[in-house]
Amino acid sequence: MACIWDTHSLHFGLLFGILLSFSVTTNGLKLWPMPKSVNYGSKTLYWSTNMQLRTDGSNYADSSGILKEAFERVVNLIKADHIIEAKFANSSVLAGVNVVVHSSDDTLNFGIDESYTLNVPAKGSPLYAKIEASTIFGALHALETFSQLCYFNFTSKVVELHAAPWTIYDLPRFPYRGLLIDTSRHYLPVPVIKSVIDSMTYSKLNILHWHIVDDQSFPIEIPSYPKLWDGAYSYTERYTINDAIDIVKYAERKGVNVLAEIDVPGHTLSWGVGYSSLWPSKSCREPLDVSNEFSFKVIDGILSDFSKVFKFKFVHLGGDEVNTSCWTTTPRIKEWLNNHHMNESDGYRYFVLRAQQIALSHGYDIINWEETFNNFGDKLSPSTVVHNWLGGGVAQKVVADGLRCIVSNQDKWYLDHLDATWEGFYTNEPLTNITNPAQQKLVLGGEVCMWGEHIDTSDIQQTIWPRAAAAAERLWTPFDKLAKDPKDVISRLAHFRCLLNQRGVQAAPLIGNGREAPSDPGSCFKQ
């Protein structure tokens, strides 16, 4: 089936209203990320003023209201606060969407089936789009794709769906498609975190890596050790345990798991504000004191509390950038190391491996930054996932040793590197030089990292987007469907960036470095 519009009939960057009204242009489908398989026709359908959600044939009862809530959310996104006037040129009215979910379970397990089929017929009375998915979370992805097919027509003042009939089959390439946020360097209010979660779903990212605490602040309540959040920046820049529960539940209803991180034994200066005995000494305050049993009791208490809040199967234990000099310059710790026949490197390994055992005792699989693998990879728990960030070639070594890996190499996928362009985000390939199929499966996916030293509520979204979306397509779309030259997706990514803006997400222009302001007046589609 072919599109009705011809190659020269539309020009990228023309009037906003004209471009926004077309879901298919000569530059290709305006879907982001690109689905696995798409077929479409040439007929225009018109939205009913009373779009209906049906679940005929579905096994999913929606007792928690996830589907109903998602459908209402999508309808509101598509309408974009426009006033709809029911004036149709013909009877091709789309009455609603019928969603068939085969599983009755809505537990968001890692690796869950996220596939879906979306069919929009061109004929029928009444006309219903049909979504079929194994799980509710595949259905949520289908609703997002459906939303990108529909546009408000500024002339007729109705919502239209162009190029019916549509047949789309889709599933993710990788199960782990992550975004890191950092609430230690700058506090992010709960509504801001929720807005980031919302924006993640538009490009089908599914893991929010919450780097909660670090040297600078300890903003989260830990009931087992209530003085830990004395390390917060201020009395108000904190998260109660109920805030964390709320964030996790909010994310899960959108198909996003929350990965909690405590970075040990380094990056822990703020821990000692409430419990100074965690410091090696008052003048030498990190890493955590390897000789003090209290260090491990606190970690155990944190992870015990986390296990009641963060239900994701993984916990991130950090392990990066550990400067152990305080251990050898503090006499009692140096003596402890000597008594246990350890040097500084041995103490680092001992600390990481003991923290791993604590996490395992609470039912978690572990993620550690790559330094742990680089220094003592053969000693890590077999359940360890190694988080690559320093550079290329690490994932290849990790999977060759039989461990799992997540890719976030800083030269390409660190969002705080404002000189890292969207083209680099798009072309960064997690499976570089990994050709063995069994080893490829050990690469769980990747993550873009929004470190917080130079971002806060005022600029987080425009620093994340649209560059994170470029990586999102790399992680979702089949390899053979990805553009070999990022120039081939400029039009489509610009369209998605403008869609984010329309939805209230402050996505920055494509042109220039990350977080760049528009250089001149002009259309969103040309920036």
Side-chain angles (χ1 to χ4, degrees):
M1 290 181 285
C3 174
I4 192 172
W5 300 290
D6 139 313
T7 311
H8 304 290
S9 63
L10 294 175
H11 297 279
F12 179 71
L14 287 179
L15 295 175
F16 176 86
I18 295 175
L19 274 172
L20 196 59
S21 69
F22 288 93
S23 61
V24 183
T25 75
T26 61
N27 291 306
L29 301 169
K30 294 303 182 187
L31 295 174
W32 197 279
M34 182 62 74
K36 178 178 176 62
S37 173
V38 182
N39 289 288
Y40 55 92
S42 58
K43 186 172 183 178
T44 297
L45 304 181
Y46 304 90
W47 265 42
S48 167
T49 54
N50 184 28
M51 286 288 283
Q52 298 292 313
L53 170 65
R54 293 173 57 175
T55 56
D56 298 347
S58 180
N59 296 322
Y60 180 68
D62 199 30
S63 56
S64 61
I66 292 176
L67 179 58
K68 181 176 182 291
E69 179 184 280
F71 179 74
E72 292 174 351
R73 184 168 62 246
V74 162
V75 169
N76 289 331
L77 285 174
I78 294 167
K79 288 182 176 178
D81 290 335
H82 295 301
I83 303 300
I84 308 299
E85 297 180 5
K87 298 176 181 178
F88 304 114
N90 56 45
S91 59
S92 300
V93 178
L94 187 64
V97 181
N98 188 66
V99 179
V100 176
V101 177
H102 296 300
S103 174
S104 60
D105 188 8
D106 56 15
T107 305
L108 185 58
N109 294 318
F110 180 68
I112 197 169
D113 190 335
E114 298 177 85
S115 66
Y116 67 88
T117 300
L118 170 62
N119 289 291
V120 184
K123 298 177 182 179
S125 183
L127 266 175
Y128 277 85
K130 182 180 179 181
I131 288 169
E132 188 169 359
S134 294
T135 69
I136 181 58
F137 303 106
L140 297 187
H141 292 316
L143 284 170
E144 171 55 36
T145 299
F146 174 76
S147 75
Q148 294 185 27
L149 301 179
C150 303
Y151 295 85
F152 180 75
N153 186 313
F154 283 85
T155 302
S156 63
K157 299 179 179 59
V158 299
V159 175
E160 298 177 350
L161 187 151
H162 296 269
W166 287 88
T167 301
I168 297 175
Y169 174 68
D170 204 7
L171 78 168
R173 182 181 175 206
F174 292 102
Y176 189 108
R177 307 178 304 281
L179 167 66
L180 178 148
I181 60 170
D182 172 7
T183 58
S184 173
R185 276 57 179 254
H186 282 95
Y187 176 81
L188 299 172
V190 172
V192 174
I193 295 176
K194 288 182 175 180
S195 74
V196 171
I197 292 167
D198 290 342
S199 63
M200 290 172 65
T201 67
Y202 303 150
S203 60
K204 300 182 173 69
L205 293 176
N206 70 337
I207 309 292
L208 179 70
H209 176 176
W210 188 2
H211 187 88
I212 309 173
V213 303
D214 209 292
D215 285 335
Q216 291 80 1
S217 72
F218 197 114
I220 193 168
E221 178 185 19
I222 302 296
S224 295
Y225 291 93
K227 292 183 181 180
L228 280 171
W229 72 348
D230 289 356
Y233 281 127
S234 69
Y235 179 76
T236 60
E237 292 171 294
R238 289 172 163 178
Y239 307 101
T240 68
I241 203 72
N242 286 329
D243 290 335
I245 291 170
D246 179 45
I247 289 167
V248 169
K249 288 183 176 179
Y250 184 88
E252 287 178 346
R253 293 179 69 83
K254 308 263 175 108
V256 175
N257 268 308
V258 180
L259 167 68
E261 179 182 358
I262 55 168
D263 195 346
V264 295
H267 292 275
T268 51
L269 188 149
S270 65
W271 296 38
V273 175
Y275 298 95
S276 59
S277 62
L278 293 169
W279 290 333
S281 71
K282 291 291 180 68
S283 60
C284 208
R285 300 182 174 186
E286 64 175 337
L288 294 173
D289 186 348
V290 66
S291 71
N292 190 346
E293 278 298 305
F294 185 58
S295 297
F296 300 101
K297 288 180 179 178
V298 170
I299 291 172
D300 183 60
I302 292 172
L303 294 181
S304 176
D305 290 346
F306 274 13
S307 69
K308 301 175 182 68
V309 177
F310 299 99
K311 302 301 183 181
F312 191 37
K313 72 174 289 183
F314 298 105
V315 68
H316 205 304
L317 295 180
D320 64 314
E321 299 180 321
V322 180
N323 181 349
T324 57
S325 60
C326 280
W327 291 347
T328 53
T329 57
T330 304
R332 60 180 176 77
I333 299 178
K334 185 176 181 179
E335 181 181 3
W336 183 90
L337 289 171
N338 289 336
N339 289 340
H340 288 80
H341 309 289
M342 293 185 192
N343 59 27
E344 294 174 69
S345 297
D346 297 329
Y348 170 42
R349 180 180 66 246
Y350 168 81
F351 199 112
V352 168
L353 297 182
R354 189 162 173 191
Q356 285 199 337
Q357 290 304 310
I358 295 170
L360 289 169
S361 75
H362 290 288
Y364 283 117
D365 280 8
I366 308 123
I367 302 176
N368 279 110
W369 293 108
E370 71 172 72
E371 286 95 325
T372 59
F373 174 80
N374 295 339
N375 284 280
F376 43 86
D378 60 333
K379 299 294 192 297
L380 293 173
S381 165
S383 71
T384 304
V385 177
V386 178
H387 198 161
N388 158 233
W389 73 279
L390 287 171
V394 175
Q396 186 179 358
K397 296 175 183 176
V398 170
V399 298
D401 282 359
L403 294 176
R404 293 170 293 176
C405 188
I406 296 165
V407 174
S408 292
N409 46 310
Q410 62 176 330
D411 57 327
K412 298 294 184 182
W413 277 1
Y414 267 31
L415 291 156
D416 56 310
H417 292 197
L418 299 183
D419 59 346
T421 64
W422 72 263
E423 292 93 341
F425 277 78
Y426 189 86
T427 56
N428 191 44
E429 174 50 47
L431 298 184
T432 297
N433 295 327
I434 302 173
T435 57
N436 182 298
Q439 293 181 1
Q440 288 180 340
K441 291 179 181 179
L442 294 175
V443 179
L444 301 183
E447 176 180 293
V448 293
C449 298
M450 185 62 272
W451 294 107
E453 285 87 349
H454 304 290
I455 67 98
D456 61 10
T457 295
S458 68
D459 59 1
I460 183 170
Q461 290 284 44
Q462 59 260 46
T463 313
I464 293 173
W465 307 106
R467 292 180 299 161
E473 178 154 295
R474 173 66 51 172
L475 293 168
W476 178 275
T477 301
F479 183 79
D480 61 353
K481 295 282 185 180
L482 293 166
K484 301 301 181 285
D485 186 341
K487 292 179 181 178
D488 294 338
V489 303
I490 289 176
S491 172
R492 189 160 52 85
L493 183 55
H495 184 277
F496 182 72
R497 178 251 170 174
C498 295
L499 178 65
L500 291 176
N501 285 175
Q502 182 186 3
R503 293 179 176 184
V505 180
Q506 298 85 357
L510 270 66
I511 298 172
N513 291 335
R515 204 164 67 200
E516 196 96 349
S519 57
D520 292 294
S523 166
C524 172
F525 296 95
K526 296 179 69 175
Q527 295 172 348

